[in-house]
Amino acid sequence: MGIYQGMKGDRVEIVIDAGGTPRTYEVVATKAGRRVDVATRRGLVEVSEVTRTGTPVRTARFMASRILALVEYPAADQAED
């Protein structure tokens, strides 16, 4: 199980195969004290925006076999641009 923990401004972009047409989804840490967590469990990839205390605000789940790309954009990288 892999877990990535970030901070406000983090963004995770997920591209999935939706029957021949790729679809793109985004989960963003929108407020101060929130972060985006990515976890892989039993063939599912779960991307969640969570509060400082670990309470999920919103969660997106995808079948790992359908994911074409998962790109993490840490807040630190965005600040350097």
Side-chain angles (χ1 to χ4, degrees), residues 35-76:
R35 65 184 187 274
V36 177
D37 289 347
V38 177
T40 305
R41 298 182 186 103
R42 295 184 172 226
L44 287 177
V45 175
E46 188 174 275
V47 183
S48 302
E49 178 183 2
V50 296
T51 63
R52 213 174 259 145
T53 60
T55 306
V57 176
R58 60 189 180 127
T59 301
R61 290 182 185 94
F62 305 94
M63 291 175 50
S65 61
R66 294 283 188 173
I67 294 178
L68 300 174
L70 189 140
V71 184
E72 299 170 353
Y73 298 95

Side-chain angles (χ1 to χ4, degrees), residues 4-13 27-37 71-81:
Y4 164 78
Q5 294 184 347
M7 56 194 246
K8 179 188 175 202
D10 281 353
R11 180 169 60 100
V12 175
E13 184 178 1
V27 178
V28 181
T30 56
K31 294 185 179 181
R34 292 193 181 166
R35 65 184 187 274
V36 177
D37 289 347
V71 184
E72 299 170 353
Y73 298 95
D77 286 353
Q78 291 177 0
E80 293 174 356
D81 292 342

Side-chain angles (χ1 to χ4, degrees), residues 11-18 21-27 62 68-69 71 73:
R11 180 169 60 100
V12 175
E13 184 178 1
I14 306 101
V15 180
I16 64 160
D17 177 18
T21 304
R23 289 196 182 181
T24 302
Y25 296 91
E26 242 181 22
V27 178
F62 305 94
L68 300 174
V71 184
Y73 298 95

